[in-house]
Amino acid sequence: MFKVALPVLLFQDLATQDFVAAWDGRFVLFCFLATAASMAGIVLLARVLVRDPGQRGEFVQAS
């Protein structure tokens, strides 16, 4: 099911999609900015909460 049927279904859905009509630049920009702000906040929070620099990356990834 996951090795054959799901990839075929996903390919069919993407092949029939009109990306030009579905594109919403404002929404994409919002998602990009929200993700960037979240990551920046998490990195700053990691600097405050996690003393060991070796564990900061793990904290950011888990967050």
Side-chain angles (χ1 to χ4, degrees), residues 4-19:
V4 177
L6 183 62
V8 169
L9 180 64
L10 289 173
F11 179 78
Q12 284 180 335
D13 287 344
L14 289 174
T16 59
Q17 192 62 243
D18 183 13
F19 287 104

